[in-house]
Structures are given as C-alpha cells and as structure tokens.
Amino acid sequence: METIGDRIKEKRKELGLTQLELAEKLNVTDRAVSKWEQGEGDPSIAILPELAKIFDVTLDYLMTGKQVDIISLDDMDSNKRLEYLIKKDDVNSYKKYGYSTKLQKKISFDYEFPFKKHNRDEHHLFDINQISQIIDSKANKIFNLVCDEICNDYKMISLSCMFEPILDDIIMMAIDNDRADLLQVLGFKFLTLSEKNTSRVRRQYESYVVPFLITNINNGFLSEYGRLLETHSIKPATFDYLFENKNKASKCYKYIMNLEIKYSVNEHNTYFVYDGDLPYRLLDKAIELDDENYIEKFFNIAKEQFEATNFSTKDDYHIGYKSKYDQKNGYLYNDHSIRPRSILSRLFYMPKNLIYKLIDNKQEKLAREMMEYNTKLSISLNQKLRLDGEKNKLKFFTMNEAELNRYKELNNNILSDKEREMVESVNNHIIVSGYLKGKDDLKFVKKVLDENYYHPYEFAYKSLHNKKEKELYRYFIDTENEKLADLLMQGKDYYNELLFNVLTTYKHAPNALFLKENSKKLTEYMKETITKEDEKIARQDYNSESFLKLEGTIEDYIDYNCNFMDKNNPIIRHIEDLKNDIYESVKSKIEAKKKEEDLKNERAKVVKGLTKEYFQELLKKSENELFIIKLSSLLDAILKFDYRYEQEDFAGRLKAYCDFCESLLPKSRHMDDGLGYMVLDTKYEEEVVKPERANFEKRTNLLNRLRMLRNNIAHSETKQVKEFTPQEMEECMELVCSMNKKEEM
C-alpha cells in the first residue's frame, strides 16, 4: 500500500531534489525527510501545505494519493496547456500535443564547402520566448527535447546570433544537462567575453553566418570558409560556469578543452580555425584546475607548430611586405600593402603563470623545457619580424639558473621568516633596493648592504680586487653569460676589458638605472680620476668644448679610456653613494616613524580624558577656571600635534592657525556695471564675503580670548579680558571640539 512517504519520495525525485535540498526548503533536517520516506513517521500537519506547494499537488493527493485534475489537458487553451506542461516538465504530453520551438519562418545563407563548392541552406528559426520559459521553469526533460530539435536542424554550422537574447541562459542550461552538442551549435568556442551580451560587429542587413574563420596557409593568400560577420559575447560568469560544473558536465568540458587549431580539408590544404584567444583562456583554466592533459596538448601543439614554421627571411623583400605577429591570438602573418593578408603559422608561447605552476608542482623538468622553447620562439620571431633593440624585441618568459633557484627558495615553505626576508632582499648577490627601502630594521639593511652588491659591476670589480674569481665565475655561469666567464679565465691582462663588458652586458640589470642618469658626484669623481694623459688623448679625439662639458654619465667614463681597475674608480664610488642613500633613506624613515610615535604618545598624555563630555561636566559644576585651562590645553595640542604648527608657544601656533583661516576667506570681487566701469559686486559682498568674515572674526575672537583668559589664570596677568558668558563658553567648547581630529587619545 502506497504511503505518504512513498508519494513524497516520488515527487522529490521527479523534481530532481535530494533529501537535503527538500529539507532545506522545509527548514527541517534531511534525517526527518529520510524517516518520512522510509515510513518511520509522517510530516506534521503544519508542513503539509508547504510540501503540497513545492510538489505542486493538492493536500488530498499527499494524504490519500488521489489526483484530481480540475480540468483536462484537452479542454485547456493551447497556450495555457503549453505553460502548464512546461511547468510540469511533462515531455510526453509536450510531444503528444505537437509542441515545438521551431517556427515556420526560415532563414537562408550562402557558404562555400569544402572551400570551392557553393552552397545555400535554409533552416528554421526558433521560438526564443518559449525556450526562455523552458529555461526559467528548469524543465530539463523538455529542454533536452528542444536541444535535439536544434542540433538536428544544425549540424555543420553554429549560430549564436539566433539565440542572442537568451544566449547566456541557454548555455548554462546546456551545461546543467551536459549537452555538448548544443554548445557546439551555439559556437561556444568562438564567442567573446563581455559584460554586455551584444555582437561585436553589426550589419545593416539580416545575416546568419558561420561563426568561425579558417585561413589557408599554403598558397600565401587569405582563403575564407565563411566570413565572421557577427561575433557574439557571453558574460565571463557564463564562461566560468562550465568550469565550476565540470564534474557534472563532463561531455561539455571535454568538448571545450579539445584544442584544435587546424582544420585539414585534404592532404594538400591545411587551414587554421579562428577562435581568438580561447587557447590561452582555456590554458588559464587548465592551470587553475590542474588539467595536465590540456597543458600537455597545448605544449605539444605549440612545439609542432614551431617546428613546422619557416622563419626564413630570404624571400621577404617584396614591395609593401611586412611580417607581423599577434601575441594575443598567436597568428604569424604577412601584411602586404598591395596583396591580401596571408597566415603563415599559429605560434603559442608558454605564459609565466604556467611555468610557475609547474615548478610549484615539482615538475621542474617540464618547466625548463617550456622556458627553453620560449627562448627559441623569441629568437626566431625577432629574426622573422626584423626586430632590433631591447625595447622592440619580443621576449617570452624565461629564467636563468639563478632566477630559478631564487623562485624555488621564495616558495619554500620550510623557510623561516628571517630566512625569507634575506632571500627577498638579495637576488643572486645583487640587492633588491626597493625591498630594502621598505624595511624598518636598520641593522638588517646595513648587513645586506655590506655583504652584497648594488650592481653586477660592483660585484665584478670587488671580486677581482679581493681575488674571488671563482665566486665571480660562478655568477657569470648562473646568469648565463659564458662570454664573460671565458674572458675572466684569460687572466689579469683582460680585467679592464672584462669590467667594460660587464657594464654593457648588465645594463638592464636590477638597479641599473644609475647607468643612464647624470650625477653631480659622479661628475666630480670622474674629473678627479681623469689624468693629464687622459685629457690629452681625449682632446685629440674630441674638441675641447665637448670634453669640458663632461656631465658624469657612465658612457663619458668609457669614452675617455679610463682604467676600470683603478682603486679610485668613479663608478664604484658612485655606487657606494647609492648604497649609502638606501641606508640613509631607511634611517630617515625609521627616525620619522619614531618621531611620529613620540608625538602620538606626547599628545595622548596631554589630552588624556579631555573629551566633550568632560568639558560639559565642568560647565555643569561651574568650574570655569579649570574649564578654561583644560580647553586651552586641548586646543594647543590640536594645533601642535594635529595641524603640525611648529611655532615656539601657544600664542604663535594660534596666530598661525588664524592667519591660515583668514587666507581662505572669500575675497571681494568686481563686476562690469554695463557702462564699461568695474564696480564692487555688492550682492556677492553682502551674501558671501561679509557673512564669512563675520563668522571668522567671531571664531578667532573666542579662541584668542580663551588663550588670554588662560594666561590670566596661570600667570596672574593684569591685562583686561572680557570674561566668557555661559553661552560663549558653550560655543568655544563646540568650536575646539570640532577642530579635534581625534576624539580621544
């Protein structure tokens, strides 16, 4: 015999609810629902109406199992019946009564497939409002039927523009039902991301076209399979929704993560599918989700494309020719001024976050392979694109041995705070000046500055003088400068040349900005070290005026053939000054911080307990003298500590404050009287200038009288000062408290 528990279980499953989800809707425990369904008890009468509402059944059905249709489906109006069936997700009746989202209206479009054969197809449009209603009702069974209709109607092409008003909603519903075929029809791989769900390009005529572009790379010219007229956008949250639900939408996830950048028509023709920056967007998701399969596939495709690409420039001399590389999408193409654009290849680089992730996951070997690939890609593209100069060249992420070791050190969880602090402050013997300047431990800063170097030039110079050639050799190898290492091995006769080459090799190293800046001290040091013989040689190579205009750049020092191994080397002296500047900067910051703390403590002592409530209590007790003394103390503390007036006494600070306030008062202004004469703007004078002036004079009068009354009490001065009335005491208290930037210290 069917029980109420059986009916609850049946209806719960029809709605696709778990026991916990039903329990949350009823504000009961899932254990209670379990007991009902196992026949160990029935829900209370108070819960039954809510249960009936959730299941959309009558109380009679819950209690007895009798289902009474108020009206048969046959008797219903067609629209109402459709609404009812969608609400019930009754897919059998939906099919029985012949409902469909296909409209009679059709669309037609032209395309070429496969690339030479002209085609023209017609397809039905769909009832967007009905599909929206199905989505809103979460009618999953009917939705899957609609998916079959759409996907059967569209096999080869994908048209997001047909579903633009509900594009985000229909995609999320497809993910909920794991309908990868619908995502393909909607062109999910070819959609852009934007908060505004609109097409990128609008046409004046109605157009429904293939949502992707494939470009031929064999004949040197652009060949198209369907022009991308409209690229629609979905919200970033919709794109993320797939990855948030990857476990329940495994088919959808597999479809979107299937990276295919080429489309082969036959053995003679290979085309690239245009999918924008999707490969990189998917890579970011793969890194986030630790999807090793996608990462491996992405890297393998990148290597295959690199090996298949011809980077030769021997034929690149046509009129109007120029090679370009689109870093965002990966396309290497020819851009002719007189010919159509042609795609040469699609080349992907390995991003920094991927390499860091691999190192963090103990996959250092693969990370090294990717960095080696990035280096090859950079060199090859720079050659192909004819890029010169460090600023113009492409340089994809890589790390030398020293940088790699430092990254691993910084991400070592075993490091103590003190050890980590030391690693962060020094990068392979070179100090990280920005990090040091932010420290507040002067002893630590001095230790780092004394034991390390500001620039590789200082490292090389001091290593040579202190006979630490092995340490310097290891540094050159770690920073991948084998040429310098070889020069070092040639002995002392080449030390001067070595130092010169260190300057040019490491000119973009950390802290190297001083190499390009002029310095008065460097100028002085240089002039001190330039000997008579140097000057004589210099005057032979340069005119005297040029020599006398020596401004203290490193290049000047090099030009005048100075001895880099000189113990009075001006560059080293300049570096020492820069290191001392770091020390003094930290020292000044620490001293300023201590001074600020001392001022804060001093203020706290002076104004302790001087709150508005305290002064109101003094007024109630008529303790006027104490009121005046304490309020004056508060005012002086505000002027000294909050407003930072540094005059010697209270009177000087108050005068400075009043002078400042007066300087802010609105000034009188003049206007044209219409006869060519400038006269006083009386309206502005009466409405603005005079009221503000009167208010200022009233306030300054109160504050100055407060100070003088305090002096009469404290020093028994005989200077006549008008005593405060009770109302004036209230006003003065309000004024001083309003100036207080801190309620209490």
Side-chain angles (χ1 to χ4, degrees), residues 9 108 129 139 213 231 361 418 626 676 711:
K9 184 177 182 179
S108 61
N129 292 330
L213 177 68
T231 301
N361 290 346
K418 194 170 184 179
L626 185 58
N711 288 347

Side-chain angles (χ1 to χ4, degrees), residues 309-410:
T309 301
N310 181 7
F311 292 98
S312 172
T313 60
K314 67 178 182 179
D315 297 323
D316 297 350
Y317 294 99
H318 303 294
I319 298 174
Y321 168 87
K322 192 174 184 181
S323 288
K324 291 186 178 179
Y325 177 65
D326 181 352
Q327 284 195 60
K328 183 177 180 182
N329 301 320
Y331 291 103
L332 176 66
Y333 60 92
N334 293 340
D335 192 13
H336 297 275
S337 61
I338 57 176
R339 295 183 180 181
R341 175 184 297 177
S342 59
I343 305 297
L344 301 176
S345 184
R346 195 171 189 191
L347 300 163
F348 298 121
Y349 63 88
M350 301 300 113
K352 182 193 297 186
N353 61 332
L354 171 57
I355 294 170
Y356 282 159
K357 181 79 170 184
L358 291 172
I359 297 171
D360 294 342
N361 290 346
K362 311 301 181 186
Q363 294 177 277
E364 187 177 322
K365 182 180 178 182
L366 182 56
R368 288 176 180 273
E369 287 179 22
M370 289 186 176
M371 289 190 288
E372 184 180 351
Y373 164 82
N374 275 351
T375 300
K376 292 179 180 178
L377 180 62
S378 301
I379 294 170
S380 299
L381 280 174
N382 288 329
Q383 172 189 318
K384 180 66 177 174
L385 302 175
R386 304 174 187 275
L387 298 177
D388 297 320
E390 292 298 323
K391 288 185 178 179
N392 298 324
K393 283 185 177 181
L394 292 172
K395 190 174 182 182
F396 302 118
F397 180 74
T398 186
M399 291 186 283
N400 58 39
E401 197 65 30
E403 291 168 333
L404 178 59
N405 290 334
R406 185 169 188 267
Y407 177 81
K408 290 191 293 185
E409 274 190 286
L410 288 173

Side-chain angles (χ1 to χ4, degrees), residues 295-313:
I295 292 172
E296 182 181 359
K297 187 169 186 178
F298 184 91
F299 188 35
N300 286 336
I301 286 176
K303 289 188 292 184
E304 288 171 8
Q305 286 300 120
F306 177 80
E307 293 299 330
T309 301
N310 181 7
F311 292 98
S312 172
T313 60

Side-chain angles (χ1 to χ4, degrees), residues 9-22:
K9 184 177 182 179
E10 179 187 356
K11 288 298 177 182
R12 175 180 64 77
K13 288 188 173 182
E14 284 182 12
L15 292 176
L17 297 173
T18 64
Q19 289 182 342
L20 179 60
E21 288 171 338
L22 178 59

Side-chain angles (χ1 to χ4, degrees), residues 407-416 420:
Y407 177 81
K408 290 191 293 185
E409 274 190 286
L410 288 173
N411 287 273
N412 184 353
N413 295 327
I414 302 175
L415 281 180
S416 66
R420 185 176 301 280

